[in-house]
Amino acid sequence: MPAKLLKGAEVAKEIREELKCEVDFLKNKHGVVPGLVTLLVGQNPASQSYVRAKQKTGHELGFFSVQDDQPENLGEEELLKLIDKYNKDPKIHGILVQLPLPKGINENRVLLAIDPAKDVDAFHPVNVGKLMIGEPDYLPCTPAGIQELLVRSGAEICGAEVTVVGRSNIVGKPIAMMLMQKAKGANATVTVCHTRTRDVKLHTSRADILVVAAGVTEYVKGDMIKPGAVVIDVGVNEVGKTADGKRILKGDVAFEEAVEVAGAITPVPGGVGPMTITMLMKNTVRACKVWNRIKD
Ligand code: GUN
């Protein structure tokens, strides 16, 4: 029997409806509007498309949503000044600097400049550290989306063997950290594979839950998956365009093979992507409440 599809797009819609009610309540009861700025430096087409989607969702939820496009040749010091401006802006509660940044800009220095209270990506070392000790203020968006999807789909995470393929700061490392925590929706035994792992298949094929964020199109084949496993495909790889110019996307998992082996699997598109954006919105609502000292 083919795997159950974990349709992130549907779960994301449900959560966004809940968030919309919360935004309306904040407006009507407290007179505050969550504010989000997305800063994009340069014209990377994939980044442009991600940022557009984030802005669109922010607008739909009734946020004060600002898109700040900057040229490729923006200097690091200028970018730091912009961040400082948004750190001080009372209408802005969340600051997102879209990654990757152009060559020549020190990404860590930029992330360090964002006020941790406005760091809705949870990339600032303070937020990374808080996550590590199990006391996060904000969860990083893609890992939070994955965890939410796993929990809502009824996957047994406690005690599960989880294998994560990929060790990025955005997905691999934080999802491993989150799923190994002594916490609800976690308590898994986590293995992380990366480019120097000797035998990736050895680890993927014993995983009850397999999270793939390798950045390589269809890297995980059907024969690398344990029958019945839950497979989370984080990859978004453009492999061409349709006749009318739409992007054709494939994940990091060979879907046609995997769907015959796995118990459940996220599609690409419509799986993890919409969950990531929704978690960003959730973090921004939280940042707005913290800024305005409004209790949950
Ligand atoms: N680039 C790819 N994913 C992300 C993300 O979640 N946040 C930011 N800021 N940049 C990204």
Side-chain angles (χ1 to χ4, degrees):
M1 198 173 55
K4 173 178 153 198
L5 287 187
L6 301 178
K7 294 182 183 164
E10 286 177 9
V11 178
K13 190 161 170 268
E14 266 175 45
I15 301 172
R16 289 209 280 255
E17 276 159 16
E18 292 160 18
L19 281 175
K20 179 80 176 81
C21 293
E22 210 171 342
V23 173
D24 291 345
F25 177 78
L26 286 173
K27 261 185 213 170
N28 299 333
K29 173 92 194 295
H30 296 279
V32 299
V33 178
L36 173 69
V37 61
T38 48
L39 257 158
L40 176 63
V41 185
Q43 297 189 325
N44 178 319
S47 292
Q48 283 175 325
S49 138
Y50 294 142
V51 161
R52 259 200 310 274
K54 290 169 187 175
Q55 279 296 320
K56 182 169 171 274
T57 311
H59 284 295
E60 282 165 5
L61 291 183
F63 284 13
F64 172 61
S65 213
V66 178
Q67 173 54 31
D68 190 340
D69 286 309
Q70 294 293 330
E72 182 87 22
N73 62 357
L74 183 81
E76 188 173 307
E77 296 305 323
E78 289 166 288
L79 179 54
L80 294 175
K81 272 190 202 142
L82 268 177
I83 291 171
D84 190 46
K85 182 186 86 169
Y86 290 122
N87 278 342
K88 291 174 180 147
D89 186 338
K91 292 202 296 300
I92 295 294
H93 309 106
I95 302 170
L96 179 141
V97 178
Q98 187 65 29
L99 304 178
L101 287 164
K103 282 202 185 70
I105 298 186
N106 182 331
E107 215 159 84
N108 287 339
R109 200 167 163 230
V110 168
L111 296 178
L112 201 57
I114 298 172
D115 178 347
K118 294 193 176 190
D119 173 34
V120 285
D121 258 328
F123 290 166
H124 188 288
V126 163
N127 287 321
V128 176
K130 285 186 168 184
L131 172 65
M132 181 143 179
I133 62 168
E135 292 185 6
D137 290 330
Y138 300 111
L139 291 173
C141 304
T142 301
I146 293 170
Q147 191 177 38
E148 188 79 36
L149 203 48
L150 286 171
V151 169
R152 290 199 184 216
S153 67
E156 184 68 51
I157 306 172
C158 181
E161 290 287 336
V162 173
T163 296
V164 178
V165 183
R167 57 176 159 184
S168 70
N169 290 338
I170 296 182
V171 185
K173 285 183 203 163
I175 190 64
M177 189 55 62
M178 282 164 63
L179 294 181
M180 76 165 76
Q181 291 292 334
K182 195 170 190 171
K184 253 172 61 187
N187 281 305
T189 303
V190 182
T191 302
V192 181
C193 298
H194 46 75
T195 43
R196 297 298 178 97
T197 298
R198 276 195 218 126
D199 186 350
V200 175
K201 187 174 170 182
L202 177 76
H203 301 290
T204 58
S205 55
R206 61 180 180 74
D208 304 309
I209 298 173
L210 178 59
V211 180
V212 189
V216 179
T217 309
E218 300 192 326
Y219 176 76
V220 168
K221 313 289 184 211
D223 68 353
M224 295 166 74
I225 297 168
K226 178 177 172 178
V230 177
V231 178
I232 305 289
D233 188 351
V234 186
V236 183
N237 306 290
E238 186 177 326
V239 293
K241 288 234 162 72
T242 60
D244 55 350
K246 289 213 180 80
R247 303 194 308 148
I248 301 172
L249 301 176
K250 284 207 183 288
D252 288 354
V253 176
F255 183 85
E256 306 302 333
E257 295 177 16
V259 79
E260 299 300 331
V261 186
I265 186 168
T266 56
V268 176
V272 174
M275 291 298 291
T276 296
I277 297 178
T278 300
M279 294 301 127
L280 172 68
M281 302 298 131
K282 190 172 170 184
N283 283 348
T284 306
V285 169
R286 181 172 167 74
C288 171
K289 286 162 95 174
V290 170
W291 178 274
N292 290 288
R293 298 180 202 285
I294 297 167
K295 293 235 161 32
D296 276 326

